[in-house]
Amino acid sequence: MSSLASRFAGGRDYLAACTLGLPSRATVRAVRDDLDSAASGRPDVAAASRAVEDARAAYARLVHSPVSHVAIGSQTSVMTSLIAASVPDGAEVLCPEGDFASLVAPFAHAARGVRLRTVPLDDLADAICPDTWLVAFSLVQSATGEVADAAGIAAAAARAGARTLCDLTQAAGWLPVDATLFDATVCHAYKWLCCPRGVGFLTVTPEFARILRPVHAGWYSGDDPWSSCYGTGGTLAPDARRFDVSPAWQAFVGAAPALEMFADADITDLYAHTTGLAARFRAGLGLPEPQRPSAIVTWPDATGDALARLTARGVTASGRAGRARVAFHVFNDEGDVDRALRALGTIAPAAAAPALSYSI
């Protein structure tokens, strides 16, 4: 664990990767070097463009997707709205109740008679019916940390002939994911992947891509962006790059080393580390283990008292939907767990969880 954790300058008592990931030393160095070059009158656009492609390739490896299926973006809602724009008039879109607004709102406001139906996450697979055109859900729920039964949902959608869209924003970086299970996925990389804000990715199968309209097409959507800067933009890229938006160059300069770091890491060890810390924390609070292990722990906190106690003791956490929320990532260890429990007035039982040791 220490070799990967050492790539971060901080992280002690920071339990909010589900809100905002911390930049690695390499990301900080890359962004500073880029700023220094620009400030000296030598902005390196070619290097920034290479960083975009390095980031795209690293993300593809991380989520086990062909790189030709990966488009770059900047915001989850914008990437989702691309798909919402192609939902047939009057078709049904099925989502979990309480999922993140950036995934759900584009469909709620698609108009054209598009019908949005929501059900509890655990009922999602069973709720898919022949009228369902698309099932859109977050693999890990932002408000609760619940992990969806991705395989079960994908299988049920396939049986019904429905398409699938999965948001990987709260999953990629600690949970092993396979984007090829779904027709499309979206991910904003500023959380668990520790990238600068403004770096996102869309994966889409060639079959699904054929029915999507490139409503955000611009100069970077061309097969050769530097020759499609004017007029109609010329010929769009033949693969997922046709859905690219113009990249935030500096953000991608910082993202490339972060994504390469996570793509090279042993995700199985990272999963064991993060969920092990979360299990230790749940045991200390007497919370039940979820059906599927999660690196995010939430519990009722309608008054905000728990969050206030954590904050007063220097622990960075978050509150969402009337619940306190903590998250454990690569830069956290058992000490973070136990200090958070002490801040909440709970002494971690010695037998709550075994000592954790991983080779990340």
Side-chain angles (χ1 to χ4, degrees):
M1 183 67 222
S2 59
S3 62
L4 195 55
S6 67
R7 301 188 192 188
F8 293 84
R12 176 171 174 167
D13 293 334
Y14 186 81
L15 307 183
C18 55
T19 300
L20 178 68
L22 299 180
S24 69
R25 299 177 191 272
T27 288
V28 172
R29 185 166 55 250
V31 172
R32 283 178 174 166
D33 289 347
D34 184 69
L35 277 173
D36 286 342
S37 293
S40 301
R42 298 187 302 275
D44 195 340
V45 174
S49 297
R50 289 194 298 272
V52 171
E53 297 313 315
D54 289 345
R56 190 197 310 265
Y59 182 77
R61 284 197 293 125
L62 179 72
V63 300
H64 300 94
S65 171
V67 69
S68 61
H69 295 187
V70 179
I72 63 164
S74 58
Q75 295 171 316
T76 303
S77 58
V78 173
M79 294 183 288
T80 301
S81 68
L82 168 75
I83 296 172
S86 296
V87 176
D89 294 357
E92 177 184 276
V93 176
L94 179 66
C95 295
E97 293 175 355
D99 210 327
F100 198 68
S102 293
L103 182 72
V104 180
F107 300 109
H109 300 286
R112 309 188 324 275
V114 171
R115 294 172 290 121
L116 177 65
R117 181 163 61 99
T118 62
V119 298
L121 178 65
D122 288 343
D123 298 335
L124 194 62
D126 291 338
I128 301 170
C129 68
D131 287 341
T132 305
W133 188 82
L134 178 74
V135 185
F137 67 101
S138 294
L139 183 53
V140 178
Q141 295 292 298
S142 173
T144 64
E146 293 173 276
V147 179
D149 178 12
I153 294 168
R159 289 193 297 270
R163 302 285 188 174
T164 50
L165 167 63
C166 186
D167 186 347
L168 305 179
T169 300
Q170 290 287 7
W174 70 268
L175 180 67
V177 296
D178 183 352
T180 63
L181 284 173
F182 315 103
D183 293 289
T185 70
V186 291
C187 179
H188 202 309
Y190 75 101
K191 295 181 182 286
W192 297 89
L193 292 173
C194 299
C195 294
R197 186 169 171 85
V199 174
F201 298 95
L202 164 75
T203 71
V204 59
T205 64
E207 295 76 21
F208 196 31
R210 280 194 285 270
I211 64 174
L212 299 181
R213 294 187 294 118
V215 294
H216 304 137
W219 75 279
Y220 215 80
S221 308
D223 193 26
D224 176 10
W226 294 105
S227 66
S228 56
C229 297
Y230 303 102
T232 64
T235 303
L236 294 179
D239 55 14
R241 290 179 297 121
R242 67 172 46 222
F243 304 118
D244 281 1
V245 298
S246 182
W249 276 326
Q250 189 177 93
F252 274 91
V253 165
L259 290 165
E260 289 168 351
M261 174 180 66
F262 282 107
D264 290 339
D266 187 328
I267 192 63
T268 302
D269 277 356
L270 187 48
Y271 171 77
H273 172 74
T274 56
T275 58
L277 292 176
R280 182 182 181 90
F281 183 81
R282 288 191 195 92
L285 281 186
L287 299 173
E289 277 296 300
Q291 182 179 1
R292 285 172 286 276
S294 177
I296 301 173
V297 183
T298 72
W299 66 100
D301 187 35
T303 64
D305 178 67
L307 183 58
R309 290 187 184 190
L310 291 167
T311 302
R313 296 291 291 270
V315 177
T316 302
S318 55
R320 294 292 185 273
R323 303 177 70 83
R325 184 178 70 164
V326 296
F328 299 94
H329 204 8
V330 60
F331 37 71
N332 298 123
D333 58 22
E334 292 177 3
D336 292 309
V337 175
D338 295 344
R339 283 189 296 274
L341 290 173
R342 284 195 291 271
L344 293 168
T346 304
I347 303 299
L356 304 172
S357 178
Y358 302 103
S359 58
I360 292 176

